[in-house]
Amino acid sequence: MTQELTPGPPGLTGPHSVALDLTGRTALVTGAASGIGRACALRLAAAGAKVRAADRDADGLRALQDAASGGALEPHPVDLTDAAGLDAAERTAAGADILVNNAGAQLVRPIEEFPPDDFHRLLTLMLEAPFRLIRGALPHMYEQGWGRIVNISSVHGLRASPYKSAYVSAKHGLEGLSKVTALEGAEHGVTSNCVNPAYVRTPLVEKQIADQAAAHGISEDRVVAEILLADSALKRLLEPEEVAESVAYLCAPEASFITGASLPLDGAWTAH
């Protein structure tokens, strides 16, 4: 899929729009080997943070480490869908000042055909894993009186779509977890927010486009225009760097009063 219905925003490869200095801070980003997670890891590293990059894709983490400047990125290969990986992730979160819960996956099936094991796996990855990571990060954040938790939710954390029962359930649950974290963390200087993108130009979405094109017998361009962007007033895919810039803003001092919120990056999808 190469066609873009309207041009993307200018300046994504130029200077960052959010002035952010994270020198001395440690950030943990999950799902960091590609897509939104990769963009967030590089953005926070560029702001001066020491980034712990977690993903099960060890090769992708090595490529990310090569792309980060100044050796500010530590790869942490981990599988967030099994018990040992969850235990390791919680330990890795200890001492983090910033936590970006981004790791995700998708499976599209009608409910009556949805494999229970896959439903459990997706909820483990996108809801239980963020809980364990938050649990691991909060003691240090509370002790120092400062912390930033950003949960990469989705427009599907605010709206439902058919055939995505696990993904929609996990993202709705993540919204609730984020709000509870905000209420508990407020007195300790910890904010917790969700960022809610529509369809982003990532490997996960590119695979969905290809799969739907094959399933419906139509071109990938038609999948984007007629299915993915049907509810969006802006007729283009979101870029990972746009999501990362929103994450950066939520870590900035100017965002210290934003907590328990959900920030839609949805091209007016939820305006309907």
mmCIF file of all heavy atoms in Angstrom, residues 119-158:
data_model
loop_
_atom_site.group_PDB
_atom_site.id
_atom_site.type_symbol
_atom_site.label_atom_id
_atom_site.label_comp_id
_atom_site.label_asym_id
_atom_site.label_seq_id
_atom_site.Cartn_x
_atom_site.Cartn_y
_atom_site.Cartn_z
ATOM 1 N N PHE A 119 -7.947 -14.540 22.367
ATOM 2 C CA PHE A 119 -8.591 -13.496 23.177
ATOM 3 C C PHE A 119 -7.802 -13.279 24.463
ATOM 4 O O PHE A 119 -7.489 -12.137 24.839
ATOM 5 C CB PHE A 119 -10.036 -13.897 23.488
ATOM 6 C CG PHE A 119 -10.847 -12.793 24.101
ATOM 7 C CD1 PHE A 119 -11.610 -11.952 23.306
ATOM 8 C CD2 PHE A 119 -10.863 -12.612 25.478
ATOM 9 C CE1 PHE A 119 -12.368 -10.930 23.873
ATOM 10 C CE2 PHE A 119 -11.614 -11.594 26.057
ATOM 11 C CZ PHE A 119 -12.371 -10.752 25.255
ATOM 12 N N HIS A 120 -7.448 -14.378 25.126
ATOM 13 C CA HIS A 120 -6.678 -14.282 26.370
ATOM 14 C C HIS A 120 -5.305 -13.665 26.126
ATOM 15 O O HIS A 120 -4.843 -12.805 26.886
ATOM 16 C CB HIS A 120 -6.527 -15.682 26.975
ATOM 17 C CG HIS A 120 -5.758 -15.700 28.260
ATOM 18 N ND1 HIS A 120 -4.400 -15.948 28.320
ATOM 19 C CD2 HIS A 120 -6.153 -15.479 29.536
ATOM 20 C CE1 HIS A 120 -3.999 -15.888 29.566
ATOM 21 N NE2 HIS A 120 -5.042 -15.608 30.332
ATOM 22 N N ARG A 121 -4.655 -14.065 25.040
ATOM 23 C CA ARG A 121 -3.314 -13.549 24.725
ATOM 24 C C ARG A 121 -3.347 -12.038 24.487
ATOM 25 O O ARG A 121 -2.487 -11.308 24.994
ATOM 26 C CB ARG A 121 -2.773 -14.268 23.490
ATOM 27 C CG ARG A 121 -1.431 -13.738 22.978
ATOM 28 C CD ARG A 121 -0.942 -14.531 21.776
ATOM 29 N NE ARG A 121 -1.878 -14.485 20.658
ATOM 30 C CZ ARG A 121 -1.895 -13.506 19.755
ATOM 31 N NH1 ARG A 121 -1.028 -12.500 19.843
ATOM 32 N NH2 ARG A 121 -2.756 -13.535 18.752
ATOM 33 N N LEU A 122 -4.334 -11.565 23.747
ATOM 34 C CA LEU A 122 -4.400 -10.138 23.440
ATOM 35 C C LEU A 122 -4.728 -9.319 24.688
ATOM 36 O O LEU A 122 -4.187 -8.222 24.882
ATOM 37 C CB LEU A 122 -5.429 -9.881 22.339
ATOM 38 C CG LEU A 122 -5.060 -10.426 20.965
ATOM 39 C CD1 LEU A 122 -6.160 -10.139 19.945
ATOM 40 C CD2 LEU A 122 -3.746 -9.858 20.468
ATOM 41 N N LEU A 123 -5.596 -9.832 25.548
ATOM 42 C CA LEU A 123 -5.876 -9.092 26.788
ATOM 43 C C LEU A 123 -4.672 -9.109 27.720
ATOM 44 O O LEU A 123 -4.417 -8.128 28.430
ATOM 45 C CB LEU A 123 -7.106 -9.664 27.487
ATOM 46 C CG LEU A 123 -8.390 -8.849 27.212
ATOM 47 C CD1 LEU A 123 -8.835 -9.019 25.774
ATOM 48 C CD2 LEU A 123 -9.497 -9.199 28.180
ATOM 49 N N THR A 124 -3.922 -10.189 27.718
ATOM 50 C CA THR A 124 -2.698 -10.222 28.522
ATOM 51 C C THR A 124 -1.712 -9.156 28.042
ATOM 52 O O THR A 124 -1.149 -8.402 28.838
ATOM 53 C CB THR A 124 -2.047 -11.615 28.441
ATOM 54 O OG1 THR A 124 -2.953 -12.591 28.951
ATOM 55 C CG2 THR A 124 -0.750 -11.663 29.250
ATOM 56 N N LEU A 125 -1.526 -9.088 26.738
ATOM 57 C CA LEU A 125 -0.564 -8.153 26.159
ATOM 58 C C LEU A 125 -0.970 -6.704 26.356
ATOM 59 O O LEU A 125 -0.128 -5.852 26.685
ATOM 60 C CB LEU A 125 -0.424 -8.454 24.659
ATOM 61 C CG LEU A 125 0.452 -7.510 23.835
ATOM 62 C CD1 LEU A 125 1.903 -7.570 24.295
ATOM 63 C CD2 LEU A 125 0.337 -7.859 22.349
ATOM 64 N N MET A 126 -2.240 -6.390 26.173
ATOM 65 C CA MET A 126 -2.662 -4.988 26.106
ATOM 66 C C MET A 126 -3.372 -4.476 27.347
ATOM 67 O O MET A 126 -3.684 -3.285 27.431
ATOM 68 C CB MET A 126 -3.549 -4.783 24.876
ATOM 69 C CG MET A 126 -2.789 -4.942 23.571
ATOM 70 S SD MET A 126 -3.778 -4.550 22.107
ATOM 71 C CE MET A 126 -4.829 -6.005 22.030
ATOM 72 N N LEU A 127 -3.622 -5.351 28.335
ATOM 73 C CA LEU A 127 -4.246 -4.889 29.571
ATOM 74 C C LEU A 127 -3.500 -5.378 30.814
ATOM 75 O O LEU A 127 -3.138 -4.572 31.672
ATOM 76 C CB LEU A 127 -5.707 -5.337 29.620
ATOM 77 C CG LEU A 127 -6.509 -4.844 30.833
ATOM 78 C CD1 LEU A 127 -6.438 -3.336 30.970
ATOM 79 C CD2 LEU A 127 -7.957 -5.322 30.746
ATOM 80 N N GLU A 128 -3.242 -6.685 30.886
ATOM 81 C CA GLU A 128 -2.523 -7.179 32.065
ATOM 82 C C GLU A 128 -1.083 -6.683 32.085
ATOM 83 O O GLU A 128 -0.570 -6.287 33.140
ATOM 84 C CB GLU A 128 -2.550 -8.706 32.127
ATOM 85 C CG GLU A 128 -1.928 -9.234 33.414
ATOM 86 C CD GLU A 128 -2.022 -10.740 33.576
ATOM 87 O OE1 GLU A 128 -2.670 -11.395 32.731
ATOM 88 O OE2 GLU A 128 -1.443 -11.256 34.553
ATOM 89 N N ALA A 129 -0.422 -6.676 30.933
ATOM 90 C CA ALA A 129 0.966 -6.203 30.894
ATOM 91 C C ALA A 129 1.081 -4.736 31.319
ATOM 92 O O ALA A 129 1.950 -4.406 32.138
ATOM 93 C CB ALA A 129 1.569 -6.416 29.517
ATOM 94 N N PRO A 130 0.240 -3.822 30.820
ATOM 95 C CA PRO A 130 0.304 -2.444 31.343
ATOM 96 C C PRO A 130 0.087 -2.367 32.851
ATOM 97 O O PRO A 130 0.760 -1.586 33.535
ATOM 98 C CB PRO A 130 -0.819 -1.737 30.576
ATOM 99 C CG PRO A 130 -0.886 -2.457 29.272
ATOM 100 C CD PRO A 130 -0.639 -3.903 29.632
ATOM 101 N N PHE A 131 -0.837 -3.173 33.384
ATOM 102 C CA PHE A 131 -1.022 -3.199 34.836
ATOM 103 C C PHE A 131 0.261 -3.601 35.555
ATOM 104 O O PHE A 131 0.684 -2.952 36.525
ATOM 105 C CB PHE A 131 -2.157 -4.169 35.198
ATOM 106 C CG PHE A 131 -2.132 -4.610 36.639
ATOM 107 C CD1 PHE A 131 -2.494 -3.747 37.656
ATOM 108 C CD2 PHE A 131 -1.716 -5.893 36.976
ATOM 109 C CE1 PHE A 131 -2.443 -4.150 38.989
ATOM 110 C CE2 PHE A 131 -1.665 -6.305 38.295
ATOM 111 C CZ PHE A 131 -2.038 -5.433 39.308
ATOM 112 N N ARG A 132 0.910 -4.648 35.064
ATOM 113 C CA ARG A 132 2.132 -5.107 35.722
ATOM 114 C C ARG A 132 3.245 -4.063 35.608
ATOM 115 O O ARG A 132 4.024 -3.848 36.561
ATOM 116 C CB ARG A 132 2.583 -6.441 35.093
ATOM 117 C CG ARG A 132 1.629 -7.606 35.350
ATOM 118 C CD ARG A 132 1.631 -8.052 36.806
ATOM 119 N NE ARG A 132 2.937 -8.489 37.233
ATOM 120 C CZ ARG A 132 3.399 -9.748 37.109
ATOM 121 N NH1 ARG A 132 2.638 -10.676 36.543
ATOM 122 N NH2 ARG A 132 4.597 -10.071 37.546
ATOM 123 N N LEU A 133 3.342 -3.413 34.466
ATOM 124 C CA LEU A 133 4.374 -2.392 34.274
ATOM 125 C C LEU A 133 4.109 -1.173 35.148
ATOM 126 O O LEU A 133 5.032 -0.614 35.756
ATOM 127 C CB LEU A 133 4.448 -2.009 32.803
ATOM 128 C CG LEU A 133 5.078 -3.082 31.913
ATOM 129 C CD1 LEU A 133 4.543 -3.006 30.497
ATOM 130 C CD2 LEU A 133 6.593 -2.938 31.906
ATOM 131 N N ILE A 134 2.863 -0.746 35.214
ATOM 132 C CA ILE A 134 2.516 0.373 36.107
ATOM 133 C C ILE A 134 2.817 0.003 37.551
ATOM 134 O O ILE A 134 3.382 0.797 38.317
ATOM 135 C CB ILE A 134 1.033 0.756 35.920
ATOM 136 C CG1 ILE A 134 0.805 1.379 34.536
ATOM 137 C CG2 ILE A 134 0.585 1.724 37.010
ATOM 138 C CD1 ILE A 134 -0.660 1.551 34.172
ATOM 139 N N ARG A 135 2.447 -1.195 37.913
ATOM 140 C CA ARG A 135 2.708 -1.687 39.279
ATOM 141 C C ARG A 135 4.194 -1.632 39.606
ATOM 142 O O ARG A 135 4.589 -1.271 40.721
ATOM 143 C CB ARG A 135 2.176 -3.116 39.403
ATOM 144 C CG ARG A 135 2.225 -3.709 40.796
ATOM 145 C CD ARG A 135 1.559 -5.087 40.803
ATOM 146 N NE ARG A 135 1.483 -5.620 42.151
ATOM 147 C CZ ARG A 135 2.434 -6.345 42.731
ATOM 148 N NH1 ARG A 135 3.542 -6.618 42.059
ATOM 149 N NH2 ARG A 135 2.291 -6.802 43.966
ATOM 150 N N GLY A 136 5.029 -1.997 38.628
ATOM 151 C CA GLY A 136 6.460 -1.961 38.859
ATOM 152 C C GLY A 136 7.043 -0.561 38.902
ATOM 153 O O GLY A 136 8.029 -0.307 39.607
ATOM 154 N N ALA A 137 6.443 0.360 38.154
ATOM 155 C CA ALA A 137 7.004 1.707 38.043
ATOM 156 C C ALA A 137 6.578 2.642 39.168
ATOM 157 O O ALA A 137 7.320 3.573 39.526
ATOM 158 C CB ALA A 137 6.594 2.321 36.701
ATOM 159 N N LEU A 138 5.385 2.442 39.715
ATOM 160 C CA LEU A 138 4.836 3.434 40.650
ATOM 161 C C LEU A 138 5.663 3.658 41.926
ATOM 162 O O LEU A 138 5.783 4.805 42.367
ATOM 163 C CB LEU A 138 3.402 3.061 41.020
ATOM 164 C CG LEU A 138 2.331 3.377 39.967
ATOM 165 C CD1 LEU A 138 0.948 2.970 40.481
ATOM 166 C CD2 LEU A 138 2.341 4.850 39.582
ATOM 167 N N PRO A 139 6.224 2.627 42.560
ATOM 168 C CA PRO A 139 6.953 2.916 43.806
ATOM 169 C C PRO A 139 8.049 3.963 43.634
ATOM 170 O O PRO A 139 8.178 4.878 44.465
ATOM 171 C CB PRO A 139 7.516 1.543 44.198
ATOM 172 C CG PRO A 139 6.529 0.570 43.644
ATOM 173 C CD PRO A 139 6.106 1.159 42.334
ATOM 174 N N HIS A 140 8.841 3.869 42.588
ATOM 175 C CA HIS A 140 9.891 4.868 42.343
ATOM 176 C C HIS A 140 9.279 6.232 42.036
ATOM 177 O O HIS A 140 9.740 7.262 42.547
ATOM 178 C CB HIS A 140 10.768 4.419 41.181
ATOM 179 C CG HIS A 140 11.685 5.485 40.663
ATOM 180 N ND1 HIS A 140 12.785 5.940 41.374
ATOM 181 C CD2 HIS A 140 11.651 6.204 39.509
ATOM 182 C CE1 HIS A 140 13.390 6.884 40.673
ATOM 183 N NE2 HIS A 140 12.722 7.068 39.539
ATOM 184 N N MET A 141 8.248 6.256 41.218
ATOM 185 C CA MET A 141 7.595 7.526 40.892
ATOM 186 C C MET A 141 7.025 8.182 42.148
ATOM 187 O O MET A 141 7.175 9.396 42.360
ATOM 188 C CB MET A 141 6.482 7.297 39.869
ATOM 189 C CG MET A 141 6.966 6.849 38.497
ATOM 190 S SD MET A 141 5.565 6.613 37.355
ATOM 191 C CE MET A 141 6.420 6.156 35.846
ATOM 192 N N TYR A 142 6.379 7.390 42.984
ATOM 193 C CA TYR A 142 5.822 7.935 44.223
ATOM 194 C C TYR A 142 6.916 8.464 45.139
ATOM 195 O O TYR A 142 6.784 9.518 45.758
ATOM 196 C CB TYR A 142 5.031 6.854 44.955
ATOM 197 C CG TYR A 142 3.668 6.537 44.380
ATOM 198 C CD1 TYR A 142 3.193 7.176 43.239
ATOM 199 C CD2 TYR A 142 2.848 5.588 44.977
ATOM 200 C CE1 TYR A 142 1.939 6.879 42.716
ATOM 201 C CE2 TYR A 142 1.595 5.277 44.470
ATOM 202 C CZ TYR A 142 1.143 5.932 43.336
ATOM 203 O OH TYR A 142 -0.095 5.631 42.832
ATOM 204 N N GLU A 143 8.004 7.722 45.234
ATOM 205 C CA GLU A 143 9.097 8.121 46.132
ATOM 206 C C GLU A 143 9.679 9.471 45.744
ATOM 207 O O GLU A 143 9.990 10.299 46.608
ATOM 208 C CB GLU A 143 10.184 7.050 46.124
ATOM 209 C CG GLU A 143 11.348 7.346 47.066
ATOM 210 C CD GLU A 143 12.402 6.250 47.053
ATOM 211 O OE1 GLU A 143 12.267 5.286 46.280
ATOM 212 O OE2 GLU A 143 13.380 6.380 47.832
ATOM 213 N N GLN A 144 9.806 9.711 44.438
ATOM 214 C CA GLN A 144 10.408 10.969 44.001
ATOM 215 C C GLN A 144 9.385 12.084 43.767
ATOM 216 O O GLN A 144 9.746 13.237 43.532
ATOM 217 C CB GLN A 144 11.207 10.759 42.721
ATOM 218 C CG GLN A 144 10.373 10.454 41.486
ATOM 219 C CD GLN A 144 11.241 10.283 40.247
ATOM 220 O OE1 GLN A 144 12.457 10.416 40.303
ATOM 221 N NE2 GLN A 144 10.608 9.991 39.119
ATOM 222 N N GLY A 145 8.095 11.735 43.814
ATOM 223 C CA GLY A 145 7.056 12.742 43.648
ATOM 224 C C GLY A 145 6.873 13.215 42.218
ATOM 225 O O GLY A 145 6.375 14.320 41.981
ATOM 226 N N TRP A 146 7.233 12.365 41.246
ATOM 227 C CA TRP A 146 7.085 12.726 39.824
ATOM 228 C C TRP A 146 7.060 11.467 38.989
ATOM 229 O O TRP A 146 7.851 10.542 39.195
ATOM 230 C CB TRP A 146 8.251 13.592 39.373
ATOM 231 C CG TRP A 146 8.069 14.240 38.019
ATOM 232 C CD1 TRP A 146 7.578 15.495 37.794
ATOM 233 C CD2 TRP A 146 8.382 13.685 36.730
ATOM 234 N NE1 TRP A 146 7.547 15.753 36.436
ATOM 235 C CE2 TRP A 146 8.035 14.664 35.751
ATOM 236 C CE3 TRP A 146 8.892 12.472 36.293
ATOM 237 C CZ2 TRP A 146 8.203 14.459 34.388
ATOM 238 C CZ3 TRP A 146 9.054 12.248 34.933
ATOM 239 C CH2 TRP A 146 8.718 13.237 33.989
ATOM 240 N N GLY A 147 6.161 11.444 38.017
ATOM 241 C CA GLY A 147 6.116 10.330 37.082
ATOM 242 C C GLY A 147 5.135 10.624 35.965
ATOM 243 O O GLY A 147 4.185 11.396 36.135
ATOM 244 N N ARG A 148 5.397 10.025 34.811
ATOM 245 C CA ARG A 148 4.518 10.194 33.658
ATOM 246 C C ARG A 148 4.221 8.813 33.068
ATOM 247 O O ARG A 148 5.135 8.093 32.678
ATOM 248 C CB ARG A 148 5.174 11.080 32.587
ATOM 249 C CG ARG A 148 5.436 12.519 33.040
ATOM 250 C CD ARG A 148 4.130 13.289 33.183
ATOM 251 N NE ARG A 148 4.359 14.661 33.614
ATOM 252 C CZ ARG A 148 4.324 15.069 34.889
ATOM 253 N NH1 ARG A 148 4.112 14.172 35.855
ATOM 254 N NH2 ARG A 148 4.506 16.332 35.196
ATOM 255 N N ILE A 149 2.939 8.481 33.028
ATOM 256 C CA ILE A 149 2.498 7.234 32.416
ATOM 257 C C ILE A 149 1.628 7.589 31.220
ATOM 258 O O ILE A 149 0.646 8.333 31.349
ATOM 259 C CB ILE A 149 1.712 6.367 33.416
ATOM 260 C CG1 ILE A 149 2.640 5.941 34.575
ATOM 261 C CG2 ILE A 149 1.120 5.135 32.726
ATOM 262 C CD1 ILE A 149 1.918 5.289 35.725
ATOM 263 N N VAL A 150 2.030 7.100 30.068
ATOM 264 C CA VAL A 150 1.270 7.340 28.839
ATOM 265 C C VAL A 150 0.899 5.982 28.247
ATOM 266 O O VAL A 150 1.781 5.176 27.917
ATOM 267 C CB VAL A 150 2.061 8.171 27.813
ATOM 268 C CG1 VAL A 150 1.182 8.472 26.601
ATOM 269 C CG2 VAL A 150 2.573 9.471 28.437
ATOM 270 N N ASN A 151 -0.386 5.748 28.136
ATOM 271 C CA ASN A 151 -0.893 4.495 27.602
ATOM 272 C C ASN A 151 -1.352 4.711 26.168
ATOM 273 O O ASN A 151 -2.229 5.546 25.909
ATOM 274 C CB ASN A 151 -2.060 4.006 28.460
ATOM 275 C CG ASN A 151 -1.658 3.766 29.905
ATOM 276 O OD1 ASN A 151 -0.815 2.911 30.180
ATOM 277 N ND2 ASN A 151 -2.234 4.515 30.826
ATOM 278 N N ILE A 152 -0.733 4.005 25.243
ATOM 279 C CA ILE A 152 -1.143 4.117 23.851
ATOM 280 C C ILE A 152 -2.400 3.268 23.680
ATOM 281 O O ILE A 152 -2.340 2.051 23.505
ATOM 282 C CB ILE A 152 -0.040 3.673 22.876
ATOM 283 C CG1 ILE A 152 1.252 4.448 23.163
ATOM 284 C CG2 ILE A 152 -0.497 3.906 21.436
ATOM 285 C CD1 ILE A 152 1.155 5.961 23.028
ATOM 286 N N SER A 153 -3.520 3.927 23.779
ATOM 287 C CA SER A 153 -4.809 3.281 23.582
ATOM 288 C C SER A 153 -5.134 3.326 22.100
ATOM 289 O O SER A 153 -4.287 3.028 21.258
ATOM 290 C CB SER A 153 -5.882 3.975 24.438
ATOM 291 O OG SER A 153 -7.139 3.378 24.285
ATOM 292 N N SER A 154 -6.317 3.725 21.750
ATOM 293 C CA SER A 154 -6.755 3.706 20.359
ATOM 294 C C SER A 154 -8.087 4.422 20.283
ATOM 295 O O SER A 154 -8.777 4.588 21.302
ATOM 296 C CB SER A 154 -6.911 2.257 19.881
ATOM 297 O OG SER A 154 -7.623 2.176 18.665
ATOM 298 N N VAL A 155 -8.471 4.818 19.090
ATOM 299 C CA VAL A 155 -9.852 5.256 18.913
ATOM 300 C C VAL A 155 -10.789 4.125 19.318
ATOM 301 O O VAL A 155 -11.921 4.364 19.760
ATOM 302 C CB VAL A 155 -10.090 5.704 17.448
ATOM 303 C CG1 VAL A 155 -9.975 4.526 16.504
ATOM 304 C CG2 VAL A 155 -11.446 6.388 17.280
ATOM 305 N N HIS A 156 -10.303 2.883 19.244
ATOM 306 C CA HIS A 156 -11.114 1.739 19.667
ATOM 307 C C HIS A 156 -11.161 1.589 21.190
ATOM 308 O O HIS A 156 -11.836 0.692 21.692
ATOM 309 C CB HIS A 156 -10.601 0.457 19.013
ATOM 310 C CG HIS A 156 -10.978 0.354 17.574
ATOM 311 N ND1 HIS A 156 -10.050 0.382 16.566
ATOM 312 C CD2 HIS A 156 -12.194 0.251 16.966
ATOM 313 C CE1 HIS A 156 -10.672 0.297 15.400
ATOM 314 N NE2 HIS A 156 -11.962 0.221 15.612
ATOM 315 N N GLY A 157 -10.464 2.443 21.911
ATOM 316 C CA GLY A 157 -10.696 2.555 23.340
ATOM 317 C C GLY A 157 -11.884 3.443 23.651
ATOM 318 O O GLY A 157 -12.382 3.458 24.781
ATOM 319 N N LEU A 158 -12.347 4.183 22.648
ATOM 320 C CA LEU A 158 -13.478 5.097 22.797
ATOM 321 C C LEU A 158 -14.687 4.683 21.963
ATOM 322 O O LEU A 158 -15.813 5.078 22.270
ATOM 323 C CB LEU A 158 -13.054 6.514 22.378
ATOM 324 C CG LEU A 158 -11.812 7.073 23.085
ATOM 325 C CD1 LEU A 158 -11.406 8.402 22.462
ATOM 326 C CD2 LEU A 158 -12.060 7.229 24.581
#
